[in-house]
Amino acid sequence: MIIFLKWFKYILLLCFCLTPLVWFKGHPLAIIDGVDTNFPLNPLVWFLRRFYDWNDIGNAGSDFSSSVAGLFFHFIQLVPYLLGFSLHWVELISLIFWFSAIVLGSYFFARVILPKNSLAQLILVSLYSFNIYLFNTWENVKVSNLCLAAVLPAFLALLLAFDKRLLNLSRLIFLATLFAIIASGTGINPAYFLTLIMAIFILSVMRLLYVPQKLERILILKSTFLVLAILFFVNLFWILPTINHLLFSGNKLTQISDIGFNDWVDSLSANTSLLNTFRFQGAWDWYTIDTGSSLPLYIPYAVSYFNRLSFLSYSFLLTGLALVAYLFRRKDQAVLYSFLGVMGVLAIFLGSGSHPPTGTLFNLLDRHVPFFSFFRSPWYIFTPLWILAEAGLIALLISNLKIKSSRWAIGLFTVLVLGNIIYCYPLWTGKIFRPNRPDGFYINFPNYVNQSANWLNDNYSSTSPQRIIAYPNDEIEQFKWGYRGIESILELFAKNEVLFASINGIQSPLDGVVNLFYQTAAKGQREAASNLGEKLNLGLIFQKNDQSSLSQKLPDNFLVTKVTQFNAWSFYKFPNALQPKIFTATNLMANYSVSPAVIEPLSVLPIDSLLINPHDQVVAGIPQSSDFTGQVILTTNSQLTDMTGVKSVGPELNFQQKDLSVVKFSFNIPQKGSYQVVLDRYQVEQFGIDLNNNLKITLDDNDTFLHPDKVTDSFIYFSDLDLSEGNHQLSFNLTESSPILNQGIFKYQLATLDPLSSYLIQFEYKSDYAQSNQLKLEQFSPSSPVQFVSKQLPFSSDWQVYNQYFTPIQTNSKLNIEFTSLNTLGRTGNKAIYQGLTVKKVFLNNLFLINKSDIKPLQTSIINFNQVSPVLYTGEAKNADHPQLLVFSENYSPNWKLSLYDDNGESLIVKPLHFTANNYANAWYIEGVPSSYHFKIYYTPQSILNLGFLISGLTVLISLVFALLQIKKHKLSKK
């Protein structure tokens, strides 16, 4: 019987480990793919990226410091991939590995604290490996969460086992090294790594408090120090570059917003009440309700946990048992009870985030403690501590009850092991992946995805000097065959550099340039898009015809030269000459717009003109820079200013007549000179501007004319204006008529809605009886509603003018305008009168002033270069014996270093001046070099990463060799 129970326990643990096999039942060829994290379609490419501190693939590159921590995680995927397994089996093997790591880690912990009670061990493993928290972790296969869940109990068990003399020093070192390697994935989000450190620290403090003997305390300190040292040094390969990036990158990075991410702690804490945190039900997506059906929008199985009495009762049962455990504690378990209690309380407090009542203290820490905002997902980060605490306390309770009756043992096994598995049915059945919903995670990738990958890798490798821009430009890609992702799908398999609309880097200057490109392309402005495309180093357009999107179709003039097509995916040559990533420019253009961060001037400047911040101190230090520096100004459009001003203060209803027949452009001239006037051409004819005749303007109260010198598909280039230094205003008249309105009863429809424009809706209104009157605006496409705006109109017994700005969602659609009235006074004969409805486009076109008349352009050089790696470019410049502006079209970082050498390889005694150009790129001013020289552009933090790899590798090697030698020595001594 005992042997049977022993084997039953191991068989059950094996079944736990193989849980991912059940997930793929009915999905034999599918790949589980999330939204936040996606499974790589080329594990080798993803693995190799982890050896570099700069990732050049997405949106002109970014620092990759903490992301290199995924090296071991992706190594687990790489091994079966190199052995020839299909991607389906590669993922399955990886999932089984990590599920097994969680099961075996918790079993190790259970064996150490409850060595002789198999029932309590199984209960602990079941509660820790199957719980609601892990639903979201497995749903998106979150690396940091999985790694923390796997190593948290393992490291704690390691220290406790050493205290009990279950492990000698050599085995402690050996296991600590293996666990530290598995723990490396927590570094992708270092907050999880710090959570692991916190748990080890709490355990060590509790061990010291309850051990009076000095010798034992010394051993505890030594074992803790040794384990933490191994954990630290094994993970130094990502710790060193991450610390360098945060503290020594030249930027002040103490808040999550400093690195371009939103601090969403408040939104994620909306439902992390103490009660929900106790029951592991703090995930935000459970509480997002579909207003139509009143059901959970994302998590269909959440209904069971909200409404079913059995599920509600079970959630309270587990929490209650954990608390009851303290009534049956034993003195010899004081360390465990104190440790689990303290860790659990801290986990609940920190995991609740900013939710009342503990949120006040959390917010205080968030505001005043540097780097604390990096814990922006508190419930996800700290809940594993409470999971282990609860599982450990319940297991201790079962052990201390000393169950001798087999009937009671079977009953407890049924309730706490099998019952918990039933309670967590979405996890082991695969329901967490929403198999029956269109937003499910089971993806069957079409063959043309693989065909495109092979073609790109064969014809456009990473050494190809061009980027690919993806279209449509949705921030979340959602294909008709199921795949969803927040980055370009090309990143899953290609070595190519890709540009796309980003949801993550909203503060990145490059993202603004990319979005401006999408805007100009959607308008069919080929010249403006080409100016931007050259600065972005574009070579190919990736057209995704299978993506579910509201975006407009890309104009035909951008899809002229098709390079190849694989079913629904097409690749087009970008319609302009390819500009290499490294080149020399002829002049600088100081951006004297309202803010130097304004990016619109990039669309009007050719590639050889670099847009710069006029207040850049490095640029100010360039000798005679004024000789080759012009000025460009984006003027302030009065109609745009009024519209954005109204929207910013709300409620967007105004009671003053607005006149759109005049547009005024305000600007400040930094220095007197001759400035060319350039007007955005988009649909100017609809505003009465004749492209063939002079434009009558008023400049500072004086009437004059502008002569159109050149007209393109993007701009009207007018004659120059001689302007003095200081503030000026230029205005001209517009003669746009209202668009055609199809009239109904209190309901109108805009016959033609331009989704790239904004509108002013203006009307007169009065109400005799009604007090609940509304203006309703409904933008809709043939298939579905797109946007709905409802505005309450105040009571007015006299005629009153009201107006409302409306900016459409950029998709082909129509607009309904409806007036409604409800009698709230209980009277009959409800009467509301509307008249004089007009709908007019707002004149949002940009007007630029460009002064290049007095500059002396620099000569360009012939540049040949080679990309050795994402962090290293080497090249040669010819015809270079003159001052020059060398441009490197990768996201700016002060850590990019330019080194110059002569033809013999000797370093040139020249100090290039490094500054930001085109709002995102790197540029150097170079002077005093020979006609021919060689250069190297290197991302210097890579040296720190290399040092980290060296130390981490040596730590692993030395630790394992020492441990194995000691184990061998111990065995020989026994003989």
Side-chain angles (χ1 to χ4, degrees):
M1 183 66 178
I2 296 175
I3 296 176
F4 171 77
L5 291 176
K6 180 179 179 180
W7 280 105
F8 174 77
K9 177 176 70 173
Y10 292 133
I11 291 172
L12 186 60
L13 290 175
L14 177 62
C15 291
F16 286 172
C17 294
L18 297 179
T19 296
L21 285 173
V22 183
W23 294 346
F24 289 95
K25 183 180 179 181
H27 307 276
L29 301 177
I31 291 175
I32 294 174
D33 225 317
V35 180
D36 294 335
T37 55
N38 301 109
F39 181 76
L41 301 184
N42 188 329
L44 178 59
V45 170
W46 271 47
F47 178 73
L48 293 177
R49 287 177 193 168
R50 270 67 194 170
F51 286 96
Y52 299 102
D53 202 30
W54 183 268
N55 181 7
D56 64 335
I57 301 300
N59 281 348
S62 60
D63 186 88
F64 212 51
S65 297
S66 63
S67 296
V68 300
L71 187 69
F72 177 75
F73 183 89
H74 292 294
F75 175 76
I76 299 301
Q77 298 169 338
L78 176 66
V79 173
Y81 179 75
L82 294 180
L83 292 175
F85 286 89
S86 67
L87 289 176
H88 169 81
W89 279 100
V90 168
E91 182 178 43
L92 181 56
I93 292 170
S94 174
L95 295 177
I96 290 174
F97 174 88
W98 288 106
F99 212 107
S100 301
I102 294 174
V103 170
L104 297 179
S106 59
Y107 179 64
F108 181 27
F109 183 75
R111 280 289 300 268
V112 171
I113 68 171
L114 303 163
K116 297 180 181 180
N117 195 318
S118 295
L119 175 61
Q121 292 170 9
L122 286 176
I123 288 172
L124 192 154
V125 173
S126 172
L127 295 176
Y128 187 77
S129 304
F130 295 86
N131 56 76
I132 295 174
Y133 169 83
L134 289 174
F135 290 7
N136 179 264
T137 296
W138 283 113
E139 179 187 86
N140 285 285
V141 192
K142 293 182 175 179
V143 180
S144 296
N145 305 52
L146 288 177
C147 292
L148 177 61
V151 299
L152 175 62
F155 268 108
L156 300 175
L158 195 62
L159 293 171
L160 292 171
F162 185 77
D163 289 349
K164 294 182 177 184
R165 306 296 188 270
L166 299 176
L167 294 174
N168 56 24
L169 183 63
S170 58
R171 285 182 169 82
L172 177 74
I173 294 174
F174 181 80
L175 291 175
T177 303
L178 293 183
F179 295 160
I181 293 172
I182 298 174
S184 61
T186 59
I188 293 177
N189 185 340
Y192 290 87
F193 185 77
L194 295 176
T195 301
L196 174 62
I197 299 294
M198 183 176 73
I200 294 174
F201 176 78
I202 295 172
L203 176 61
S204 300
V205 171
M206 295 301 114
R207 289 156 68 206
L208 290 171
L209 287 176
Y210 286 92
V211 177
Q213 297 87 359
K214 182 177 179 181
L215 183 60
E216 290 295 322
R217 288 186 174 184
I218 293 174
L219 287 176
I220 290 173
L221 288 172
K222 285 184 176 180
S223 62
T224 302
F225 176 79
L226 183 59
V227 167
L228 287 176
I230 292 174
L231 178 62
F232 178 78
F233 281 102
V234 167
N235 285 275
L236 212 57
F237 73 97
W238 66 262
I239 293 175
L240 277 180
T242 300
I243 291 176
N244 175 70
H245 179 60
L246 293 177
L247 300 180
F248 307 107
S249 63
N251 300 310
K252 184 182 179 182
L253 304 176
T254 59
Q255 301 293 323
I256 193 73
S257 58
D258 295 335
I259 57 176
F261 291 99
N262 288 327
D263 186 354
W264 52 41
V265 65
D266 288 335
S267 59
L268 289 186
S269 300
N271 299 105
T272 54
S273 64
L274 293 178
L275 181 62
N276 286 341
T277 305
F278 263 120
R279 300 182 303 142
F280 310 133
Q281 295 183 15
W284 68 271
D285 48 0
W286 281 46
Y287 301 91
T288 304
I289 304 300
D290 181 10
T291 55
S293 63
S294 298
L295 296 174
L297 183 62
Y298 300 115
I299 310 298
Y301 50 79
V303 175
S304 297
Y305 295 88
F306 292 159
N307 301 329
R308 294 178 66 174
L309 181 60
S310 58
F311 280 73
L312 288 168
S313 301
Y314 198 85
S315 68
F316 286 105
L317 171 67
L318 296 179
T319 302
L321 289 176
L323 298 177
V324 169
Y326 281 93
L327 300 177
F328 295 87
R329 65 186 184 277
R330 300 201 317 251
K331 289 184 178 180
D332 61 335
Q333 296 172 333
V335 172
L336 286 173
Y337 272 97
S338 298
F339 161 65
L340 295 175
V342 171
M343 184 173 70
V345 169
L346 278 176
I348 292 170
F349 158 63
L350 293 171
S352 297
S354 61
H355 195 286
T358 58
T360 302
L361 179 55
F362 188 94
N363 286 331
L364 191 67
L365 296 172
D366 190 25
R367 288 193 299 269
H368 298 290
V369 177
F371 305 108
F372 194 85
S373 66
F374 283 63
F375 296 97
R376 65 171 181 163
S377 307
W379 187 80
Y380 294 99
I381 294 170
F382 297 109
T383 298
L385 302 182
W386 171 228
I387 294 172
L388 184 60
E390 183 187 81
L393 288 170
I394 294 175
L396 285 171
L397 171 64
I398 301 305
S399 175
N400 293 341
L401 289 177
K402 298 181 180 180
I403 305 298
K404 295 183 179 180
S405 168
S406 59
R407 181 178 299 176
W408 273 97
I410 293 173
L412 287 172
F413 176 83
T414 302
V415 172
L416 294 178
V417 177
L418 298 183
N420 181 64
I421 293 175
I422 294 172
Y423 177 66
C424 297
Y425 78 94
L427 178 57
W428 65 270
T429 61
K431 296 292 185 182
I432 58 172
F433 303 114
R434 312 172 199 171
N436 300 320
R437 287 170 53 112
D439 61 346
F441 291 81
Y442 292 102
I443 309 298
N444 289 289
F445 286 84
N447 290 332
Y448 57 82
V449 174
N450 186 55
Q451 293 171 343
S452 300
N454 293 334
W455 177 78
L456 284 170
N457 289 329
D458 290 341
N459 297 279
Y460 293 90
S461 66
S462 60
T463 57
S464 178
Q466 57 185 301
R467 293 187 174 115
I468 304 172
I469 194 162
Y471 198 88
N473 58 319
D474 302 282
E475 291 180 342
I476 298 180
E477 287 186 326
Q478 185 164 341
F479 292 91
K480 296 176 181 178
W481 37 271
Y483 172 84
R484 291 166 297 143
I486 58 176
E487 296 180 338
S488 173
I489 192 173
L490 297 183
E491 291 189 282
L492 298 183
F493 54 77
K495 303 174 184 177
N496 313 82
E497 298 184 32
V498 187
L499 299 174
F500 53 90
S502 173
I503 198 173
N504 275 336
I506 58 172
Q507 296 183 9
S508 167
L510 188 278
D511 288 339
V513 181
V514 171
N515 290 332
L516 180 60
F517 170 84
Y518 282 128
Q519 288 292 317
T520 56
K523 293 177 179 179
Q525 296 179 322
R526 181 163 167 164
E527 180 195 7
S530 295
N531 287 337
L532 294 165
E534 288 177 333
K535 297 175 181 69
L536 293 170
N537 187 224
L538 289 185
L540 288 176
I541 297 174
F542 170 41
Q543 177 77 22
K544 300 165 289 184
N545 298 308
D546 55 350
Q547 182 170 317
S548 301
S549 175
L550 292 176
S551 297
Q552 292 181 285
K553 181 182 177 182
L554 201 62
D556 292 339
N557 61 341
F558 285 85
L559 306 175
V560 177
T561 307
K562 181 183 290 185
V563 180
T564 190
Q565 180 173 350
F566 300 98
N567 200 297
W569 285 7
S570 302
F571 295 88
Y572 294 87
K573 183 179 179 182
F574 187 69
N576 69 313
L578 177 66
Q579 183 68 28
K581 183 184 284 190
I582 303 175
F583 63 96
T584 54
T586 62
N587 65 279
L588 304 175
M589 293 297 294
N591 185 4
Y592 282 100
S593 305
V594 175
S595 166
V598 168
I599 60 173
E600 282 78 3
L602 284 170
S603 65
V604 76
L605 296 179
I607 185 61
D608 57 356
S609 295
L610 301 183
L611 187 67
I612 61 164
N613 181 345
H615 309 298
D616 191 315
Q617 295 300 311
V618 176
V619 174
I622 296 176
Q624 289 83 45
S625 61
S626 59
D627 291 346
F628 51 87
T629 301
Q631 295 81 39
V632 60
I633 302 169
L634 171 63
T635 61
T636 301
N637 182 323
S638 61
Q639 295 192 11
L640 174 61
T641 299
D642 184 73
M643 183 183 75
T644 55
V646 168
K647 286 190 172 184
S648 65
V649 299
E652 301 181 35
L653 278 168
N654 289 272
F655 313 123
Q656 184 178 2
Q657 183 83 31
K658 291 185 182 294
D659 182 10
L660 297 186
S661 65
V662 177
V663 60
K664 301 175 182 178
F665 297 94
S666 304
F667 51 93
N668 181 274
I669 296 297
Q671 63 183 57
K672 67 176 182 179
S674 181
Y675 288 78
Q676 185 177 32
V677 180
V678 182
L679 179 65
D680 176 7
R681 186 191 162 178
Y682 183 66
Q683 294 189 353
V684 293
E685 296 92 336
Q686 293 186 10
F687 293 90
I689 298 176
D690 189 343
L691 303 179
N692 299 314
N693 291 314
N694 294 340
L695 176 64
K696 183 179 180 181
I697 67 169
T698 300
L699 179 63
D700 299 333
D701 298 325
N702 296 313
D703 293 339
T704 186
F705 290 90
L706 291 176
H707 175 72
D709 291 336
K710 183 176 70 172
V711 178
T712 69
D713 61 7
S714 305
F715 303 107
I716 307 170
Y717 295 87
F718 290 101
S719 52
D720 293 359
L721 287 175
D722 291 327
L723 298 170
S724 60
E725 183 178 343
N727 294 320
H728 299 270
Q729 186 179 85
L730 182 154
S731 63
F732 50 82
N733 295 328
L734 304 171
T735 59
E736 188 213 5
S737 58
S738 294
I740 299 174
L741 292 171
N742 299 321
Q743 184 174 354
I745 301 176
F746 293 112
K747 189 171 184 179
Y748 305 82
Q749 186 177 100
L750 195 62
T752 56
L753 178 69
D754 179 6
L756 300 174
S757 297
S758 291
Y759 292 85
L760 176 68
I761 300 168
Q762 196 159 240
F763 56 91
E764 288 185 280
Y765 156 81
K766 75 174 182 175
S767 175
D768 288 347
Y769 305 125
Q771 286 190 334
S772 181
N773 304 291
Q774 289 183 323
L775 166 67
K776 294 182 178 180
L777 306 175
E778 181 189 15
Q779 182 186 359
F780 64 97
S781 67
S783 59
S784 63
V786 176
Q787 180 183 188
F788 181 77
V789 177
S790 177
K791 293 296 176 181
Q792 189 77 26
L793 304 178
F795 176 79
S796 176
S797 59
D798 296 323
W799 285 107
Q800 180 69 56
V801 173
Y802 293 92
N803 52 67
Q804 164 79 45
Y805 284 109
F806 179 76
T807 300
I809 301 296
Q810 293 186 7
T811 187
N812 292 325
S813 55
K814 296 181 179 180
L815 176 66
N816 281 336
I817 304 170
E818 183 178 2
F819 300 100
T820 63
S821 298
L822 294 175
N823 183 8
T824 60
L825 299 179
R827 301 175 181 175
T828 58
N830 182 37
K831 186 176 181 181
I833 304 174
Y834 304 91
Q835 70 178 20
L837 173 66
T838 61
V839 180
K840 291 189 176 182
K841 281 187 180 182
V842 185
F843 189 81
L844 302 179
N845 299 49
N846 292 320
L847 186 139
F848 303 93
L849 298 173
I850 302 175
N851 179 15
K852 294 178 63 176
S853 57
D854 297 327
I855 65 175
K856 301 174 183 178
L858 299 177
Q859 297 182 43
T860 58
S861 301
I862 301 173
I863 303 293
N864 296 302
F865 70 94
N866 178 49
Q867 181 182 359
V868 180
S869 72
V871 298
L872 176 62
Y873 294 76
T874 60
E876 180 183 10
K878 297 182 179 179
N879 187 29
D881 53 347
H882 48 76
Q884 56 192 291
L885 299 166
L886 183 70
V887 184
F888 175 46
S889 297
E890 195 84 348
N891 274 323
Y892 175 84
S893 169
N895 294 315
W896 285 109
K897 181 182 179 181
L898 174 66
S899 300
L900 305 176
Y901 309 90
D902 62 21
D903 290 338
N904 298 319
E906 297 293 331
S907 295
L908 294 173
I909 308 176
V910 174
K911 185 179 180 181
L913 298 177
H914 188 195
F915 57 96
T916 307
N918 294 337
N919 275 57
Y920 82 96
N922 297 268
W924 289 271
Y925 174 78
I926 305 171
E927 188 174 4
V929 292
S931 177
S932 174
Y933 68 88
H934 298 261
F935 63 85
K936 178 178 76 173
I937 300 176
Y938 182 64
Y939 190 63
T940 53
Q942 180 67 28
S943 300
I944 298 174
L945 175 61
N946 293 340
L947 176 62
F949 272 127
L950 177 62
I951 297 175
S952 296
L954 288 175
T955 301
V956 172
L957 181 62
I958 294 171
S959 298
L960 294 180
V961 169
F962 173 79
L964 292 173
L965 289 176
Q966 289 297 311
I967 293 172
K968 183 178 180 181
K969 181 179 178 181
H970 181 68
K971 288 182 178 180
L972 290 175
S973 65
K974 281 188 174 182
K975 293 181 179 179

